[in-house]
Amino acid sequence: MSTSPKSNPSLAPAPRAPSYTAFGLKAEAEALAPGLHIVATPIGNLRDISFRALATLAAADAVLAEDTRTSKTLLAHYGISTPLYPYHEHNAEQMRPKILAKLREGGKLALISDAGTPLVSDPGYKLVAELVAEGLPVTGIPGPSAVLAALVLAGLPTDRFFFEGFLPPKAAARRGRLTELAAIPGTLVFFESPRRLAEMLSDAAAVLGERPGAVARELTKFYENVQRGPLSVLAAHYDGEEEARGEIVVIIGPPGAEELTPAGDVIEERLRAALAQVSLKEAVAQVAAETGQPRRKVYARALELTREEP
């Protein structure tokens, strides 16, 4: 499988029978319409891909991938032999003319990112903009998105949200950008690096106040984890443990969402009710899930309540 555009500068398809394998069964892929097909791929769990996406990847003349090493695993898992070519921010200027030439000839190309929906925090939008300007066909194959997966798990308003992507890595610039975002009347969604997570949350708490937030890590993977709570509590949590790992999405509630953060008396009330029916361990798990508060915080309060009993 070629991974270098130099070995095939015209992106001409190699002779093959377009097919894919799922559930142990081999399926033939139907002929694909000419144009660029933007295909969403799994963000972790390979079973999250759609049949339409598999058929598109199998029938395309070539697949344009952000990282061919990552994408090779996906294609191999489903028995797809379509040639892979890298298309990323470092080679986009050189590859774009070749891609446009192929599409003008009626070629059928699929564009994917490392994971999730392409064009979100990657250079694909520039290619699509040029295709639209020339009137060349573009088709979207919807599917997994880390942004939407994290948003629906956060327990925060979803009617309006703003996706920022990555904040600046330097503290001063990061706080400046957060100040600009502070008045947006919707939930804020960010990507963040594991090594900057605690600092980012601390800056967000300082600039935005005690809004509720959620940190979603390794979504759809074995170690999927979602931590919910006030920004200062989340900042302290990730500052006090080993560096977080994996892909991270941070969700922050809109202005005025502080009221969504359960007050101490609400947590206490729920704990008392739960402790009257189940064990301390079960009560802590139940209340932490209901309120989105860190389990260790709920556990500490539960211990205080049990010590207060005669």
Side-chain angles (χ1 to χ4, degrees), residues 79-170:
I80 296 173
S81 60
T82 307
L84 276 168
Y85 293 87
Y87 181 72
H88 46 69
E89 61 180 338
H90 303 296
N91 77 343
E93 295 301 322
Q94 292 73 38
M95 282 292 291
R96 204 172 295 127
K98 299 175 183 179
I99 295 169
L100 287 166
K102 177 65 180 177
L103 293 174
R104 292 186 191 108
E105 297 170 359
K108 300 162 289 185
L109 302 178
L111 175 69
I112 62 177
S113 63
D114 278 354
T117 302
L119 276 68
V120 179
S121 289
D122 77 31
Y125 78 92
K126 295 181 181 178
L127 174 60
V128 172
E130 291 199 30
L131 295 179
V132 171
E134 290 197 28
L136 293 170
V138 180
T139 302
I141 317 305
S145 164
V147 172
L148 295 179
L151 186 65
V152 299
L153 291 175
L156 295 169
T158 58
D159 53 339
R160 284 191 292 182
F161 64 92
F162 180 86
F163 174 66
E164 171 69 8
F166 286 94
L167 287 166
K170 300 294 185 180

Side-chain angles (χ1 to χ4, degrees), residues 46-111:
L46 294 183
R47 293 176 296 176
D48 288 339
I49 198 164
S50 70
F51 288 124
R52 185 183 177 200
L54 291 174
T56 299
L57 294 174
D61 297 333
V63 175
L64 308 171
E66 188 176 359
D67 187 332
T68 55
R69 296 167 299 180
T70 301
S71 301
K72 187 183 296 184
T73 300
L74 173 66
L75 267 60
H77 183 81
Y78 287 104
I80 296 173
S81 60
T82 307
L84 276 168
Y85 293 87
Y87 181 72
H88 46 69
E89 61 180 338
H90 303 296
N91 77 343
E93 295 301 322
Q94 292 73 38
M95 282 292 291
R96 204 172 295 127
K98 299 175 183 179
I99 295 169
L100 287 166
K102 177 65 180 177
L103 293 174
R104 292 186 191 108
E105 297 170 359
K108 300 162 289 185
L109 302 178
L111 175 69

